Amino acid sequence: MKLLLLLVSVLAISSGVAAEKESRFFEMRTYYAAPGKLDDLQARFRNHTLRLFEKHGMINIGYWVPLTNTENKLIYLLAYPSRDARQQAWKEFGADPAWQAVVKESERNGKLVSKAESVFLTATDFSPVVKPESSPTPHLFELRTYRAAPGKVEDLLARFRDHTVALFAKHGMTQLGYWLPTEKKDGAGEILTYILVHRSKESAEASFKAFRADPQWIQAKAASEVNGPLTVTNGVQSVLMVPTDFSPAR
């Protein structure tokens, strides 16, 4: 029996099966900077916020601005050991005298954020372990969200698990992570969120062109949609993002 278990372990490693699962609790936050304040907001993160997040047990994954940023957005992703750890970390962060002093000084001439949004996320069973990696030449990131058709979220996840993930890798797309929202009301649980990493906008376009023309993808898509599309009309959204100079994932 021990020999059989050892053989299974060796085969799993040699075939590239992930031995590690992503089990942390995630939060994606979007800040809309007040007019003319995006640079000041980024400076506050660069010089203070990231360090204070880490002090209180928050894991900085990535910080990005959209390639076309008409709404002055800063998008970032944090990880925590658990949801309870998240609640405690933010409580301690907000009460930290160092943070309170930073806010007071940085907002001497007005607030830096006009609106903030937060989405709680858990990784799918096919998500890689989310590991921010830095490159001397920053990559282009792509935030993609898919809103599943009613009753089709499990079919959508199965298609990614069984086909899409491998085909993305085949066509040169690095996958940072895949998540589902923890909040299920009003259809929120029907949304798949994931982030891809590309070398450039041109390489992203070339990768997706090759992916969509791949006979394996064409066959998988047709087979999975025998009973109708897996996403609602206009349910696929894509945002190309540039990492900030202080983002761990670059």
Side-chain angles (χ1 to χ4, degrees), residues 12-248:
I13 293 170
S14 64
S15 63
V17 175
E20 200 176 355
K21 294 290 185 181
E22 180 58 84
S23 61
R24 292 174 295 177
F25 186 77
F26 290 84
E27 183 177 12
M28 184 170 290
R29 298 176 65 89
T30 302
Y31 285 5
Y32 296 77
K37 299 289 189 176
L38 183 57
D39 287 345
D40 293 335
L41 177 61
Q42 291 191 66
R44 187 167 74 185
F45 271 91
R46 181 187 302 111
N47 299 329
H48 305 286
T49 313
L50 266 72
R51 175 176 51 81
L52 289 169
F53 278 173
E54 291 172 357
K55 174 183 175 181
H56 294 289
M58 306 184 210
I59 303 166
N60 296 295
I61 301 295
Y63 291 80
W64 305 274
V65 294
L67 189 60
T68 302
N69 197 12
T70 57
E71 297 181 282
N72 293 321
K73 289 182 182 180
L74 174 66
I75 301 168
Y76 65 100
L77 183 67
L78 299 174
Y80 315 90
S82 66
R83 185 167 191 151
D84 288 344
R86 184 265 174 203
Q87 299 300 99
Q88 185 64 28
W90 276 94
K91 181 179 179 180
E92 294 174 357
F93 169 76
D96 191 321
W99 169 243
Q100 293 172 355
V102 166
V103 172
K104 183 177 181 180
E105 177 60 29
S106 64
E107 297 188 349
R108 190 178 296 275
N109 296 314
K111 289 188 174 297
L112 304 188
V113 178
S114 59
K115 183 173 71 170
E117 297 171 344
S118 171
V119 179
F120 295 154
L121 302 163
T122 55
T124 66
D125 61 0
F126 54 84
S127 177
V129 174
V130 181
K131 296 179 180 178
E133 296 183 358
S134 180
S135 168
T137 303
H139 292 94
L140 182 71
F141 291 73
E142 184 176 9
L143 172 63
R144 295 177 67 86
T145 54
Y146 287 19
R147 182 176 288 276
K152 296 291 183 70
V153 67
E154 291 302 327
D155 293 334
L156 178 63
L157 295 176
R159 188 169 73 187
F160 269 85
R161 183 186 302 112
D162 299 336
H163 304 286
T164 312
V165 169
L167 289 169
F168 278 171
K170 174 183 176 181
H171 293 289
M173 292 183 262
T174 300
Q175 298 153 77
L176 181 66
Y178 292 84
W179 303 271
L180 290 171
T182 62
E183 311 306 313
K184 306 300 182 184
K185 62 182 181 180
D186 301 325
E190 304 294 299
I191 298 174
L192 172 66
T193 298
Y194 65 99
I195 297 178
L196 299 176
V197 188
H198 309 283
R199 292 188 303 276
S200 64
K201 184 177 180 181
E202 291 73 24
S203 72
E205 292 170 350
S207 291
F208 265 108
K209 182 178 179 180
F211 165 79
R212 294 185 180 110
D214 191 313
Q216 288 179 273
W217 166 245
I218 294 171
Q219 182 179 1
K221 185 175 188 295
S224 65
E225 298 188 350
V226 169
N227 296 315
L230 302 188
T231 58
V232 300
T233 303
N234 299 321
V236 176
Q237 304 290 329
S238 169
V239 178
L240 295 176
M241 308 184 300
V242 179
T244 65
D245 60 356
F246 51 85
S247 176

